[in-house]
């Protein structure tokens, strides 16, 4: 838990609930970021596969 700037009494259950909500929000944001990263990786993989295929078509002729 975070330290409090003043000495007022806090409800530990409410504090835990607030921290849990903050953690849930952070995980949701991270999940969305990871989905975007995975989508970018799939696109890069598809372009790399297409490049490999086009290079394979241009094999040197003897």
């Amino acid at each position: 838990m975070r330290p409090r700037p003043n000495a007022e009494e806090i409800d530990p259950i409410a504090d835990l609930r607030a921290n849990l909500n903050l953690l849930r929000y952070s995980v949701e944001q991270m999940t969305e970021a990871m989905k975007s990263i995975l989508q970018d990786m799939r696109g890069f993989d598809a372009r790399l596969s297409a490049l490999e295929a086009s290079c394979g078509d241009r094999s040197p002729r003897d």
Side-chain angles (χ1 to χ4, degrees), residues 2 9-10 40 51 58:
R2 302 175 315 248
E9 193 172 319
I10 55 170
D40 290 344
L51 180 61
R58 298 179 187 170

Side-chain angles (χ1 to χ4, degrees), residues 4-58:
R4 300 293 176 178
N6 55 23
E8 72 182 48
E9 193 172 319
I10 55 170
D11 177 12
I13 300 299
D15 192 52
L16 286 172
R17 175 69 61 196
N19 285 324
L20 180 61
N21 287 338
L22 180 59
L23 179 61
R24 181 180 295 119
Y25 173 78
S26 298
V27 169
E28 288 171 355
Q29 293 299 308
M30 188 172 43
T31 299
E32 289 302 313
M34 290 302 296
K35 286 179 184 178
S36 175
I37 290 168
L38 286 171
Q39 184 177 4
D40 290 344
M41 289 173 67
R42 287 185 192 109
F44 179 77
D45 187 46
R47 289 192 304 271
L48 184 58
S49 294
L51 180 61
E52 287 175 327
S54 71
C55 288
D57 294 341
R58 298 179 187 170

